[in-house]
Amino acid sequence: MEKSGKLILPAEYNCICVLGPTAVGKTPLAVALANAFDGEVISVDSRQVYKYLDIGSGKDLCEYVVNGKPIPYHLIDVTELPTEYSVFDYQAEVYKVFPEIIARNKVPVFCGGTGMYLQSVVQGLDLVEVPCNEELRNELSGKSEQELTEILLNLKNGKLHNKTDTEDRHRLLRAIEIEVFQQNNQEIPKTNRMPPRPDIRPFIIGTTFPRDILRLGIKKRLSARVDEGLIPEVEKLNKMGIGYDRLERLGLEYRFVSEYLEGKIPSKEELISKLYIAIGQFAKRQETWFRRMEKQGVKIHWLPFDGSEEARSVAWRLEKAIQLILG
C-alpha cells in the first residue's frame, strides 16, 4: 500500500527493525527502508550512543542520506565518555523518542546489532536502574577476576547469557551488583523507574551472509577503518582525558587499539590480526543471540541469500525486505 508515494506498513505493525551481525550493511538497508516508508532511524548500537566514537563504532553518518535527502536518526551521540551508558538508559531513551516519531506520523526503523539493546525493546524487558553498591564493591575489591566469575556463576546458577561480562573486571563487578540487587528484591527508587512502555510492534528483518562472505566483509571494513584513522581516533580520545582502561571496556576496536597504543600489542600487523579474529568471534556471538531470541518467540524474517553479488546489494535486499513486509 502507498500513500503520497510512500509505502504503508500493514496495520499489525507500527515500526521496522533491521538486525544482523556486524559488517553486513544494516545501516544502508535501514536508511533505504526509512526512505521507502517515510521513517526515521533509531540506532541500536551500544557504542554509537557516545560522542567522538566515530570510526571505531562505524557511525558512517554520510549513509543517512538518500538521493540528497537526509534521513533523521536517533540515539547516536547522546552521551559522552567516561559516562557508563546502560541498557536501562537506552530503553528509557527509546521509550521517549519512539512516541515522538509516531506523533510525527513517521515510521520508526530500528537498526543495529547490540543484542541486549534489541531484546530490551523488542521483548519489552522490565528493566530497573540498579544503584551502585559501594559496600558490596568494597567486599569484592580483593577478589581476582576468576573468583568474581565464580561468584557471578553461583548467583546465576551456572547460566550466563552474556559471557562478555566475564571478560572485564568492571563488567564483572557490575553484573554481580545487578544480580545481588535483583535477588534481594530491593526497593527501586522512584527516580530509577522505567517510563511506561509505548506500543511497539516491529516487523523484524534479519540480514546476514555465509561465514566466509561475512569474514571477507569484516576484513574489508577493518582495513577501511584503519585507513580512515582508527588509531589516531583512539589516541585523540586518550589525550582528551579518557583513560585507556575505559576505552578498553568499550571492546573490539577501542580495546585492541588501546592495547596497541599502550604497547601491549607490539605491532600494527598483530593489532589488525587480533582485531580481525575478535570481530569475527563477536559476529558469531551476535548470531547466537539472535537465534536465542527466536527460540524465545521473537519472529525474525531473514532475507534470502542466493550467493550472488547482487544479493549483497542494498537495492536487492531492500526489494526483498519490502516484499516480506507487505506480504
Side-chain angles (χ1 to χ4, degrees), residues 208-210 213 303-309 311-312 316:
T208 190
F209 301 130
I213 295 176
L303 295 180
F305 182 73
D306 61 10
S308 67
E309 186 70 28
R312 303 186 208 179
W316 191 90

Side-chain angles (χ1 to χ4, degrees), residues 130-144:
V130 178
C132 182
N133 187 333
E134 292 294 346
E135 183 179 347
L136 176 63
R137 293 206 173 206
N138 288 333
E139 290 177 10
L140 299 174
S141 62
K143 305 287 186 182
S144 68

Side-chain angles (χ1 to χ4, degrees), residues 86-239:
S86 67
V87 182
F88 177 92
D89 296 322
Y90 178 79
Q91 191 182 53
E93 290 281 353
V94 168
Y95 287 5
K96 177 178 178 292
V97 75
F98 188 92
E100 294 173 353
I101 297 173
I102 294 292
R104 290 192 287 272
N105 293 318
K106 303 293 184 180
V107 175
V109 180
F110 292 97
C111 173
T114 299
M116 195 63 192
Y117 280 23
L118 283 163
Q119 198 170 2
S120 75
V121 171
V122 170
Q123 295 180 258
L125 302 183
D126 188 16
L127 302 178
V128 298
E129 187 176 24
V130 178
C132 182
N133 187 333
E134 292 294 346
E135 183 179 347
L136 176 63
R137 293 206 173 206
N138 288 333
E139 290 177 10
L140 299 174
S141 62
K143 305 287 186 182
S144 68
E145 291 189 11
Q146 182 177 348
E147 289 173 317
L148 291 173
T149 300
E150 290 173 0
I151 291 171
L152 181 60
L153 280 167
N154 287 332
L155 286 167
K156 298 181 77 68
N157 296 319
K159 297 179 181 180
L160 286 181
H161 294 306
N162 190 1
K163 293 183 180 179
T164 56
D165 283 338
T166 66
E167 297 172 0
D168 173 82
R169 184 178 184 84
H170 179 88
R171 294 188 66 162
L172 264 170
L173 288 168
R174 183 57 177 163
I176 293 171
E177 195 170 55
I178 292 171
E179 195 63 29
V180 168
F181 181 92
Q182 292 174 337
Q183 291 189 14
N184 289 343
N185 294 316
Q186 292 174 251
E187 184 178 350
I188 305 166
K190 289 183 179 180
T191 56
N192 293 25
R193 296 179 189 274
M194 180 63 60
R197 184 179 192 267
D199 177 28
I200 299 177
R201 292 175 281 113
F203 187 96
I204 305 174
I205 295 288
T207 180
T208 190
F209 301 130
R211 192 58 52 83
D212 58 335
I213 295 176
L214 182 57
R215 286 175 177 166
L216 193 63
I218 290 172
K219 194 169 191 177
K220 182 178 178 181
R221 192 185 65 176
L222 175 57
S223 178
R225 287 185 179 177
V226 171
D227 290 343
E228 288 167 12
L230 173 61
I231 296 172
E233 175 176 273
V234 179
E235 196 169 23
K236 180 180 177 182
L237 286 164
N238 180 248
K239 289 179 179 178

